[in-house]
């Protein structure tokens, strides 16, 4: 029987990558978006819908009865975002609506909520699925309270629900408000002031190529795994300064920036051992490949820019 797959936030980075992966399978794929007009394209149905409208969602879900729902949609903070107040109420209500509509339509559905590494109490070192969470902003408040709500329902109703905790992952589809695209665009524009600002911060974190993370999500979607939480990460401590140096060197750019040797900081690293074991999942790319692809992508969008 052909499965009905729903993805919210399907026009974001992960949604675009997953559409390309899923189109190869014999499934009914429905993408929810707040911007694209409702249409069917290449066998994929796009529905423009407000996730805050529970009644409208119910009519769609009851009619189509999803077997798998991947909830990617949320308003995410960009690098150095300070106004977090916009990130709780609408995100939480939309998540609650999608979750309830799913199981009111099909109690046997599989629901995957994509969360963020920002939820962890530790801000450096290695974390696992058992590591403690802490609410520090309205954004983490939304992530943690949503997960707690869904875990409570899971315990009561024995449903199939997993919180996929995603660490930093980038590709050419990544929104340019986020750190790595901003860094790459600054390299192309030779914005030395911004680059030196970032380099001074000496940022270390767990970075992956988005295709690797999406392949993990794909495996999770079609597996029988029903873990409460599952970390998808690179399990590596990577320096943003090294990414900058890599892009400059690989493209033979003439940028007068001095990369001083600095003390290695311990960024927050996700232990992905469980995901690798139960999903038989492994990385095929890395963030340095992603950075190169992002550079080529934005270079084409900026005619007249040269080394």
């Amino acid at each position: 029987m052909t499965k009905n797959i729903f993805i919210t936030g399907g026009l974001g980075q992960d949604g675009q990558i997953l559409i390309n992966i899923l189109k190869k399978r014999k499934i009914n794929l429905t993408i929810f978006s707040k911007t694209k007009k409702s249409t069917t394209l290449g066998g994929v149905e796009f529905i423009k819908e407000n996730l805050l409208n529970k009644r409208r969602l119910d009519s769609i879900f009851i009619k189509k009865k999803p077997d798998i729902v991947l909830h990617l949609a949320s308003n995410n903070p960009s690098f150095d975002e300070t106004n977090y107040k916009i990130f709780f109420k609408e995100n939480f209500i939309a998540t609650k609506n999608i979750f309830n509509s799913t199981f009111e339509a099909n109690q046997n559905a599989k629901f995957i909520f994509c969360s963020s590494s920002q939820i962890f109490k530790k801000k450096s070192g290695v974390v696992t699925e058992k590591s403690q969470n802490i609410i520090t902003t309205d954004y983490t408040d939304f992530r943690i309270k949503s997960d707690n709500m869904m875990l409570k329902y899971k315990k009561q109703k024995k449903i199939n629900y997993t919180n996929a905790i995603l660490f930093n992952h980038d590709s050419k589809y990544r929104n340019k408000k986020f750190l790595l695209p901003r860094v790459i665009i600054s390299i192309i524009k030779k914005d030395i002031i911004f680059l030196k600002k970032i380099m001074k911060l000496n940022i270390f974190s767990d970075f992956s190529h988005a295709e690797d993370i999406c392949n993990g999500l794909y495996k999770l979607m079609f597996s029988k795994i029903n873990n409460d939480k599952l970390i998808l990460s690179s399990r590596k401590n990577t320096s943003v300064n090294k990414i900058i140096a890599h892009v400059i060197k690989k493209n033979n750019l003439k940028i007068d920036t001095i990369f001083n040797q600095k003390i290695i900081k311990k960024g927050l690293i996700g232990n992905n051992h469980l995901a690798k074991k139960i999903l038989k999942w492994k990385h095929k790319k890395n963030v340095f490949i992603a950075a190169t692809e992002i550079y080529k992508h934005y270079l084409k969008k900026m005619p007249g820019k040269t080394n």
Side-chain angles (χ1 to χ4, degrees), residues 52-174:
L52 300 177
N53 190 332
K54 176 68 162 56
R55 188 170 68 176
R56 283 283 302 133
L57 289 177
D58 284 343
S59 66
I60 296 168
F61 277 60
I62 290 171
K63 181 179 179 180
K64 296 172 102 32
K65 291 193 181 297
D67 297 296
I68 301 171
V69 176
L70 178 65
H71 183 38
L72 294 169
S74 72
N75 191 358
N76 298 324
S78 60
F79 173 70
D80 69 11
E81 175 69 62
T82 56
N83 182 20
Y84 277 83
K85 290 184 179 180
I86 64 174
F87 296 114
F88 177 74
K89 187 176 180 181
E90 288 192 0
N91 280 340
F92 182 78
I93 293 172
T95 298
K96 185 177 180 181
N97 286 348
I98 288 288
F99 182 80
N100 287 337
S101 291
T102 297
F103 290 104
E104 286 166 11
N106 181 10
Q107 194 70 15
N108 295 316
K110 183 183 184 80
F111 192 96
I112 300 169
F113 175 59
C114 292
S115 188
S116 162
S117 60
Q118 294 183 40
I119 64 174
F120 291 108
K121 183 176 182 179
K122 288 178 69 173
K123 300 306 173 188
S124 65
V126 180
V127 289
T128 71
E129 287 82 1
K130 295 181 180 180
S131 295
Q132 188 176 354
N133 300 158
I134 187 171
I135 295 172
T136 54
T137 64
D138 287 283
Y139 178 71
T140 53
D141 192 13
F142 143 63
R143 292 295 186 191
I144 292 169
K145 285 186 177 176
S146 294
D147 183 42
N148 288 340
M149 170 196 73
M150 293 183 280
L151 283 174
K152 183 178 179 181
Y153 188 89
K154 178 179 181 177
K155 186 175 181 180
Q156 293 173 345
K157 302 293 185 178
K158 310 298 182 185
I159 57 156
N160 194 325
Y161 163 74
T162 297
N163 179 7
I165 305 171
L166 312 182
F167 279 67
N168 299 306
H169 52 292
D170 295 272
S171 72
K172 65 182 181 181
Y173 300 110
R174 183 72 149 157

Side-chain angles (χ1 to χ4, degrees), residues 33-34 48-54 56-57:
S33 166
K34 63 181 179 181
K48 182 179 179 180
E49 191 56 74
N50 184 351
L51 303 185
L52 300 177
N53 190 332
K54 176 68 162 56
R56 283 283 302 133
L57 289 177

